């Protein structure tokens, strides 16, 4: 039986509905078998928990563990040779990237996430070639990394049944290419093509395999409107509700996606999803940069969640999401680091600061822009709402899972911090990974004083570096050839895209 007391200068339990932090000062948290039993003032602890292990001190501030609600890879595309390009070209350029050992790659980003206070990650996976067994093995490697390091993870392999190269028919695009390029591209597409039934079979196999694991969950991810037929969206939604798992769907990330939706549906992407019966609290829409006012109203009315990927939107020239409009309508918005943050890493503290600063529009009303408590709620409670763990994580209170982070307050406040500066304001604006001392998941210490308790970071990274130093394989050489040949063809397709007639079928 695991029993511990966490002692703290302050425990930030949650952010209330009015946007105010709920804080217990000079506090303790009693944790038994991974669950919070009580939070109170340390002076009232008495002998109630005599003999329980004690960690922390009055030099620590504790908050709920952060949730990275939209994550894909470890080594970043930039590290693998794909520069920041507009999304539609970037997805083609990424075909050229190296193949990476998925276990080590997942650990690489997990190290950075945990060091910045992330305890739960929404892992969205794709780009695994046929057959189905390859996907199942890939998922096993990814989830083994999270299991071994101790994180909580929700995993999806993206459902996609069309438009694998550009926002148009695979057959039509391949026919438009020069013969040599077309043959190469068709070979690549054939390897990446899973039928809808196969994609749902992958989910069922993983769901059955991991359904009883406490820190691993499987959910569904219809990739995006342009990548999914209406049938795929409906069937995925039916299965998600049958299995009572949430869904995560990229949507309206770029203006090209906005125009695609208009031509395909005759309305907005959000209204089309509503007609299909998809919107609701079990759906999270990733990005949402190009949502209209009417779209946002509909999202708010249906209780649909959003995930804001601020760094990614900036890096890939997608635009700036209307976060303040989301806030004003009470939409729950999570934070995702996506492929990589603004510093080309997986630092959640940095991403939170970017979200805070990016949306400070001119004016004098403090309610017009995000506050530090709001950003904290996005990274905790609202992030949790996008996962299968929504009932158990995201806030600190009796009965909830003990997923929490201990910050060294002296590292945040040194050499001076005015008492006029609020505790949450200081945490959001000044905390760095170096001030994260201890990370606890499900009551277990997985990181403390710069060291990971379950895995050896230095050994794992050295092994990753060794494997990446090898020569390119035949498959990698083929992928590079395909990607570089396709890049100018995709650019030509999208250069024509804005001038295509509204009646053009995609």
């Amino acid at each position: 039986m695991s029993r511990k007391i966490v002692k703290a200068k302050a425990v930030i339990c949650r952010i209330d509905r009015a946007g105010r932090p709920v804080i217990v000062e000079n506090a303790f948290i009693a944790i038994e078998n991974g669950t919070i039993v009580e939070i109170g003032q340390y002076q009232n602890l008495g002998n109630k928990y005599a003999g329980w292990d004690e960690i922390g001190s009055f030099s620590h501030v504790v908050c709920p563990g952060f949730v990275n609600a939209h994550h894909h890879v470890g080594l970043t595309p930039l590290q693998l040779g794909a520069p920041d390009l507009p999304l539609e070209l970037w997805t083609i350029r990424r075909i050229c990237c190296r193949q990476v050992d998925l276990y080590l790659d997942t650990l690489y980003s997990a190290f950075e996430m945990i060091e910045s206070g992330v305890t739960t990650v929404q892992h969205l996976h794709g780009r695994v070639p046929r057959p189905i067994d390859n996907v199942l093995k890939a998922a096993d490697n990814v989830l083994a990394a999270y299991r071994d390091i101790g994180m909580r993870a929700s995993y999806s392999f993206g459902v996609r049944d069309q438009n694998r190269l550009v926002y148009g028919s695979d057959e039509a695009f391949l026919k438009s290419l020069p013969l040599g390029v077309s043959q190469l591209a068709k070979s690549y597409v054939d390897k990446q093509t899973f039928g809808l039934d196969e994609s749902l079979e992958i989910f069922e196999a993983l769901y059955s395999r991991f359904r009883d694991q406490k820190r691993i969950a499987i959910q569904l991810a219809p990739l995006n409107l342009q990548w999914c037929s209406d049938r795929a969206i409906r069937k995925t939604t039916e299965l998600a509700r049958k299995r009572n798992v949430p869904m995560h769907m990229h949507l309206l990330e770029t203006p090209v996606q906005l125009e695609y939706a208009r031509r395909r549906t005759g309305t907005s992407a959000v209204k089309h999803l509503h007609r299909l019966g998809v919107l609701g609290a079990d759906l999270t829409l990733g990005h949402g940069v190009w949502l209209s006012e009417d779209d946002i109203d509909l999202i708010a009315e249906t209780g649909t969640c959003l995930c804001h990927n601020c760094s990614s939107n900036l890096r890939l020239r997608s635009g700036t999401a209307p976060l303040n409009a989301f806030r004003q309508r009470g939409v729950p918005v999570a934070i995702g680091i996506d492929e990589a943050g603004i510093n080309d890493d997986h630092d959640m503290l940095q991403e939170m600061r970017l979200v805070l600063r990016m949306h400070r529009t001119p004016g004098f009303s403090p309610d017009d822009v995000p506050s530090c408590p709001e950003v904290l709620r996005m990274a905790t409670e609202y992030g949790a709402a996008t996962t299968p763990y929504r009932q158990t994580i995201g806030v600190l209170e009796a009965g909830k899972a003990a997923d929490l982070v201990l910050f060294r307050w002296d590292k945040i406040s040194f050499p001076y911090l005015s008492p006029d500066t609020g505790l949450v304001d200081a945490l959001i604006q000044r905390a760095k990974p170096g001030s994260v001392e201890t990370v606890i998941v499900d009551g277990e210490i997985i990181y403390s004083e710069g060291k990971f308790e379950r895995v050896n970071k230095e050994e794992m990274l050295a092994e990753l570096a060794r494997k990446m130093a090898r020569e390119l394989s035949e498959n990698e050489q083929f992928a590079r050839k395909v990607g570089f040949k396709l890049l100018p063809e995709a650019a030509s397709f999208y250069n024509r895209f804005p001038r295509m007639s509204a009646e053009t079928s995609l």
Side-chain angles (χ1 to χ4, degrees):
M1 182 175 291
S2 172
R3 292 173 168 175
K4 59 174 61 71
I5 297 293
V6 178
K7 180 180 180 181
K9 166 188 171 64
V11 173
I12 306 167
C13 299
R14 67 184 309 155
I15 307 302
D16 69 17
R17 291 187 177 181
R20 296 170 304 211
V22 177
I23 298 173
V24 181
E25 297 183 345
N26 300 321
F28 75 89
I29 306 173
I31 302 168
E32 184 173 25
N33 296 331
T35 300
I36 296 172
V37 176
E38 183 181 358
I39 300 175
Q41 291 194 310
Y42 192 82
Q43 65 191 34
N44 300 326
L45 183 62
N47 295 319
K48 188 174 181 180
Y49 302 105
W52 289 30
D53 296 335
E54 184 172 302
I55 63 171
S57 72
F58 288 142
S59 295
H60 290 91
V61 167
V62 177
C63 76
F66 302 139
V67 179
N68 179 5
H70 190 115
H71 171 76
H72 293 285
V73 295
L75 289 174
T76 70
L78 184 69
Q79 287 177 286
L80 295 174
D84 293 347
L85 296 169
L87 176 78
E88 286 77 17
L89 301 183
W90 179 80
T91 58
I92 298 294
R93 181 63 177 79
R94 285 202 59 209
I95 293 172
C96 306
C97 289
R98 300 286 303 274
Q99 296 173 351
V100 186
D101 181 299
L102 286 176
Y103 178 80
L104 296 172
D105 189 59
T106 303
L107 282 180
Y108 175 77
S109 54
F111 290 137
E112 293 183 337
M113 285 190 279
I114 291 170
E115 287 168 341
S116 64
V118 175
T119 54
T120 298
V121 62
Q122 180 91 261
H123 191 110
L124 305 167
H125 199 181
R127 292 181 184 268
V128 179
R130 296 181 60 82
I132 287 175
D133 281 351
N134 280 348
V135 179
L136 300 181
K137 290 175 184 175
D140 282 343
N141 285 328
V142 168
L143 293 173
Y146 290 128
R147 180 197 65 219
D148 289 353
I149 205 168
M151 282 186 79
R152 200 180 293 275
S154 177
Y155 175 94
S156 303
F157 186 76
V159 175
R160 176 179 190 168
D161 70 338
Q162 64 178 27
N163 302 352
R164 292 169 179 83
L165 294 174
V166 294
Y167 300 167
S169 155
D170 297 327
E171 182 180 1
F173 182 65
L174 289 171
K175 284 183 178 178
S176 75
L177 300 175
L179 182 60
V181 180
S182 178
Q183 291 172 336
L184 283 172
K186 186 178 186 306
S187 178
Y188 173 81
V189 168
D190 288 346
K191 291 178 182 179
Q192 295 289 329
T193 295
F194 291 92
L196 176 57
D197 290 343
E198 289 179 307
S199 294
L200 300 184
E201 180 184 336
I202 289 167
F203 164 78
E204 290 280 32
L206 294 173
Y207 176 80
S208 175
R209 188 177 301 181
F210 293 99
R211 63 185 302 176
D212 297 324
Q213 295 202 18
K214 198 170 183 182
R215 299 190 206 175
I216 300 294
I218 308 298
Q219 63 178 76
L220 279 156
L223 275 177
N224 205 322
L225 184 66
Q226 70 273 2
W227 295 323
C228 291
S229 67
D230 287 356
R231 178 173 177 267
I233 294 169
R234 285 195 183 100
K235 294 282 285 185
T236 302
T237 302
E238 289 170 6
L239 182 55
R241 289 172 181 164
K242 175 184 176 182
R243 295 302 185 194
N244 193 30
V245 300
M247 295 174 288
H248 194 110
M249 185 177 190
H250 296 66
L251 198 76
L252 295 178
E253 187 172 349
T254 71
V256 183
Q257 292 179 12
L258 178 69
E259 176 61 11
Y260 171 89
R262 183 187 71 81
R263 296 179 191 177
R264 169 172 158 182
T265 71
T267 185
S268 75
V270 172
K271 289 178 182 176
H272 185 66
L273 291 180
H274 192 44
R275 288 191 308 212
L276 296 176
V278 183
L279 300 187
D282 57 350
L283 174 68
T284 298
L285 299 175
H287 295 280
V289 177
W290 293 90
L291 293 168
S292 69
E293 295 286 335
D294 287 346
D295 290 337
I296 300 169
D297 286 339
L298 189 51
I299 286 170
E301 290 168 13
T302 55
T304 304
C305 300
L306 287 170
C307 184
H308 183 29
N309 305 317
C310 195
S311 285
S312 174
N313 297 338
L314 292 173
R315 293 185 62 166
L316 303 185
R317 297 174 63 181
S318 299
T320 303
L323 177 61
N324 292 327
F326 303 159
R327 295 173 45 253
Q328 290 160 10
R329 290 164 174 81
V331 176
V333 183
I335 294 176
I337 303 175
D338 208 333
E339 306 274 354
I342 203 73
N343 288 336
D344 206 52
D345 59 17
H346 304 89
D347 180 348
M348 189 62 160
L349 293 165
Q350 173 67 50
E351 192 70 18
M352 291 160 70
R353 275 190 287 280
L354 184 63
V355 170
L356 177 71
R357 301 301 187 199
M358 189 68 204
H359 304 281
R360 294 183 67 78
T361 52
F364 296 97
S365 172
D367 296 332
D368 290 343
V369 297
S371 67
C372 291
E374 282 182 290
V375 172
L376 180 60
R377 181 166 54 190
M378 290 171 68
T380 55
E381 184 176 0
Y382 285 168
T386 71
T387 75
Y389 309 109
R390 61 181 68 185
Q391 301 299 324
T392 58
I393 66 170
V395 300
L396 301 181
E397 61 184 36
K400 298 289 187 180
D403 289 16
L404 47 93
V405 184
L406 280 72
F407 290 87
R408 281 292 300 267
W409 185 248
D410 55 347
K411 292 190 176 183
I412 294 172
S413 61
F414 183 84
Y416 175 75
L417 183 68
S418 169
D420 294 334
T421 302
L423 186 144
V424 173
D425 287 11
L427 179 70
I428 296 299
Q429 295 178 87
R430 292 187 53 79
K432 312 292 191 303
S435 58
V436 174
E437 183 173 278
T438 304
V439 177
I440 296 175
V441 178
D442 200 32
E444 177 192 356
I445 297 172
I446 65 168
Y447 175 79
S448 184
E449 297 182 341
K451 292 188 177 180
F452 292 87
E453 298 293 324
R454 290 180 168 209
V455 294
N456 187 306
K457 177 182 175 181
E458 290 71 25
E459 287 182 4
M460 294 297 102
L461 293 186
E463 178 65 8
L464 178 59
R466 185 187 68 78
K467 288 195 171 186
M468 295 306 295
R470 61 171 170 72
E471 296 293 324
L472 291 177
S473 68
E474 288 187 11
N475 285 338
E476 288 171 323
Q477 292 177 41
F478 170 77
R480 282 175 62 83
K481 188 174 183 180
V482 172
F484 283 123
K485 291 281 188 182
L486 280 177
L487 195 60
E489 303 294 340
S492 178
F493 174 89
Y494 289 115
N495 283 335
R496 297 192 308 269
F497 191 91
R499 295 190 291 276
M500 294 165 71
S501 71
E503 291 75 31
T504 301
S505 172
L506 296 178

